[in-house]
Amino acid sequence: MLRRLLKFCCFVALLQLLAVTQANAQQPGASPTPLPSSAGTAYVIKAGRLIDPESGTAAANQMISVKDGRIVEIGAKVAVPQGVEIIDLSQYSVLPGLVDAHNHLALTYKKVPENDVYYYTYVQDSTALRAIQAASNGMQMLSSGFTVVRDLGNNGMYADTALRQAIEQGWIAGPAIINSGIIIGGVGGQFYPTPEMVKEHNIVYPEYLDADTPDEIIKAVRQNVLFGAKVIKICVDCKPYPYSVEDIKLFIREAANAGGLKVAGHVQTQEGARRAIEAGIWSIEHDIALTDDLHKLMAQKGIWRVGTETPFTEYRGTQAGFDRTVGGMKSAWAHGVKMAFSTDADYYVPGMTRGQVVINFLKSWKAAGIPDKDILKIMTVNGYKVCDMYDKRGPLKAGFPADIIAVKGNPLEEIDALRTVVFVMKDGLVFKRDGVMTPEQFLHGGPVNGWRIR
Ligand SMILES: [Zn+2]
């Protein structure tokens, strides 16, 4: 009897909990929830030149009103409620935030002590330490105008999820994060672990989740979703035992089943690319394996090319490698492949922030002869699309989060204008003003979202 009573009490308590959490969920038709930290804030921005990257056009002397973190109205004249601060950007081009579609914010390998061998970074730096570094890297990205980062693994034990949650809860400033959790691959992932490592499942883990069978594939996807992944990243062909078309289709099905996530595939061989394309993968990460023929197929099937095209600089790359990279970009562009701006940035260059390392990838896009206004579209519109957020965040549109940047000059005509970001607003809060980071509004002890919506 007592046991039955206890059971009943538990049931009632559970119902009450459900009722509370339901009440906290957003009501259909209600006005949009204020973004964390942004409730009660309001601004009107005066834009000297308001750029629409979608159409590649600009309009002079526009105004944007922002309230509770979201854009309210855009036009030549908008209502200015009393007491609202006016931000004067009349000397600048104003545009939506930029996207890096492939970065690793919780990984920074360096000359000292690991001689740029990233295997050693995993051994030496804890997930906790890397999460703090990710927070710093995120702010460095935001300062360079990147309001969205697709963060694709090698982030220890879910430091990427921790970063996303901290930003979404308004604890720290940072880009919107689309994170993958742990990269899933055949045993060993991208590493060449010793038998001891594999047997004990230590040292190289948790950088990769092993999934060699259909059951393991489903389990790995579910584990990542459980621990906060927003995209599924797989190693298609990192080993001499690549995934089959059926394996990749299973990943796609299970990711779709688990919250409608998309699958991003690290691809390094032509055979791997062919299989990923045939399976209908969402995006191919890295350009190394992609040929004219594969570009043709990708264009036909609408598969994203997230090429991570590294420029040849004094700190990285070779002329021959760069020529290949640029040749690949020209081919993709000529074939009408959907392209995203992406970097694979995961290393330290002395004297440069993560954001400066990333924006320097403009060199590759310019070398490929892609027109400036198209590069801008790729860095914004295409970025929101490959992140699968185009209908929620990114474009400057009433009701959307106010992620807005300003630069000197006109990036539609001179894309290098993006190198000098003077103003950044994220979620309707000012992160950078007159070229100086001003993150005060982002830093405080709360709020905390309920556990169900993390
Ligand atoms: Zn990568």
Side-chain angles (χ1 to χ4, degrees), residues 102 104 233 286 344:
H102 188 131
H104 302 276
K233 164 92 177 285
H286 311 299
D344 206 16

mmCIF file of all heavy atoms in Angstrom, residues 102 104 233 286 344, ligand 1:
data_model
loop_
_atom_site.group_PDB
_atom_site.id
_atom_site.type_symbol
_atom_site.label_atom_id
_atom_site.label_comp_id
_atom_site.label_asym_id
_atom_site.label_seq_id
_atom_site.Cartn_x
_atom_site.Cartn_y
_atom_site.Cartn_z
ATOM 1 N N HIS A 102 33.033 26.296 -40.584
ATOM 2 C CA HIS A 102 33.845 25.158 -40.101
ATOM 3 C C HIS A 102 35.002 25.699 -39.267
ATOM 4 O O HIS A 102 35.984 26.212 -39.803
ATOM 5 C CB HIS A 102 34.372 24.341 -41.294
ATOM 6 C CG HIS A 102 35.054 23.071 -40.893
ATOM 7 N ND1 HIS A 102 34.763 21.854 -41.465
ATOM 8 C CD2 HIS A 102 36.036 22.808 -39.987
ATOM 9 C CE1 HIS A 102 35.509 20.904 -40.936
ATOM 10 N NE2 HIS A 102 36.305 21.461 -40.035
ATOM 11 N N HIS A 104 36.988 25.179 -35.084
ATOM 12 C CA HIS A 104 37.136 24.328 -33.890
ATOM 13 C C HIS A 104 37.523 25.247 -32.735
ATOM 14 O O HIS A 104 38.707 25.463 -32.485
ATOM 15 C CB HIS A 104 38.215 23.265 -34.114
ATOM 16 C CG HIS A 104 37.944 22.367 -35.289
ATOM 17 N ND1 HIS A 104 37.136 21.264 -35.205
ATOM 18 C CD2 HIS A 104 38.352 22.434 -36.577
ATOM 19 C CE1 HIS A 104 37.059 20.666 -36.394
ATOM 20 N NE2 HIS A 104 37.784 21.362 -37.249
ATOM 21 N N LYS A 233 28.556 15.324 -37.200
ATOM 22 C CA LYS A 233 29.782 15.348 -38.006
ATOM 23 C C LYS A 233 30.351 13.935 -38.053
ATOM 24 O O LYS A 233 30.584 13.325 -36.998
ATOM 25 C CB LYS A 233 30.789 16.308 -37.353
ATOM 26 C CG LYS A 233 32.237 16.166 -37.821
ATOM 27 C CD LYS A 233 32.560 17.089 -38.965
ATOM 28 C CE LYS A 233 34.018 17.020 -39.402
ATOM 29 N NZ LYS A 233 34.959 17.678 -38.498
ATOM 30 N N HIS A 286 35.901 20.097 -46.367
ATOM 31 C CA HIS A 286 37.246 20.095 -46.975
ATOM 32 C C HIS A 286 37.151 19.855 -48.484
ATOM 33 O O HIS A 286 36.255 19.175 -48.969
ATOM 34 C CB HIS A 286 38.184 19.071 -46.313
ATOM 35 C CG HIS A 286 38.175 19.171 -44.816
ATOM 36 N ND1 HIS A 286 38.556 20.303 -44.150
ATOM 37 C CD2 HIS A 286 37.796 18.289 -43.867
ATOM 38 C CE1 HIS A 286 38.413 20.112 -42.842
ATOM 39 N NE2 HIS A 286 37.953 18.910 -42.648
ATOM 40 N N ASP A 344 38.363 25.804 -40.942
ATOM 41 C CA ASP A 344 39.050 24.754 -40.187
ATOM 42 C C ASP A 344 40.055 25.358 -39.206
ATOM 43 O O ASP A 344 41.036 24.704 -38.837
ATOM 44 C CB ASP A 344 39.777 23.781 -41.142
ATOM 45 C CG ASP A 344 39.946 22.400 -40.531
ATOM 46 O OD1 ASP A 344 39.258 22.103 -39.541
ATOM 47 O OD2 ASP A 344 40.759 21.614 -41.048
HETATM 48 ZN ZN ZN B 1 37.952 20.569 -39.138
#
